[in-house]
């Protein structure tokens, strides 16, 4: 039976940081680190996009809210009468 390994936040951040390096594939990195790509993907999503890292891009919820606002603006323009 396999033993489940656990990774602390620092280890996850290091793996995610390495995955952002140019010319590094996720598959190759996971092989080198001895982890599954199925582990790295959620770490990347959590740390980069869900606010786990302060220098990360905006969180998904904020982006969705912005998209909704832009759709609303475009929709209200479509109802205006044109001269």
């Amino acid at each position: 039976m396999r033993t489940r390994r656990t990774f602390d936040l620092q280890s996850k951040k290091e793996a995610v940081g390495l995955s952002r390096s140019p010319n590094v594939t996720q598959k190759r990195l996971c092989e080198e680190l001895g982890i599954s790509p199925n582990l790295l993907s959620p770490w990347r999503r959590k740390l980069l996009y869900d606010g786990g890292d302060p220098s990360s891009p905006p969180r998904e919820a904020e982006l969705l809210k912005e998209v909704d606002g832009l759709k609303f603006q475009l929709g209200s323009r479509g109802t205006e009468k044109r001269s």
Side-chain angles (χ1 to χ4, degrees), residues 3 6 21 35 47 55 59 61 63 66 76:
T3 304
T6 58
S21 301
I35 62 173
L47 293 171
S55 62
R59 294 185 308 215
L63 292 173
E66 184 178 351
S76 63

Side-chain angles (χ1 to χ4, degrees), residues 2-62:
R2 274 187 147 179
T3 304
R4 180 176 275 213
R5 295 184 297 167
T6 58
F7 299 90
D8 63 5
L9 183 59
Q10 186 60 36
S11 297
K12 293 176 183 180
K13 285 183 176 183
E14 287 174 12
V16 169
L18 290 170
S19 74
R20 298 181 74 192
S21 301
N23 303 320
V24 174
T25 65
Q26 183 169 323
K27 181 181 176 186
R28 174 72 182 222
L29 177 63
C30 289
E31 287 172 358
E32 290 177 7
L33 296 175
I35 62 173
S36 166
N38 294 333
L39 273 179
L40 185 57
S41 293
W43 295 351
R44 284 178 51 89
R45 190 169 35 258
K46 180 68 178 170
L47 293 171
L48 297 175
Y49 299 104
D50 291 344
D53 183 349
S55 62
S56 68
R59 294 185 308 215
E60 184 178 358
E62 292 172 6

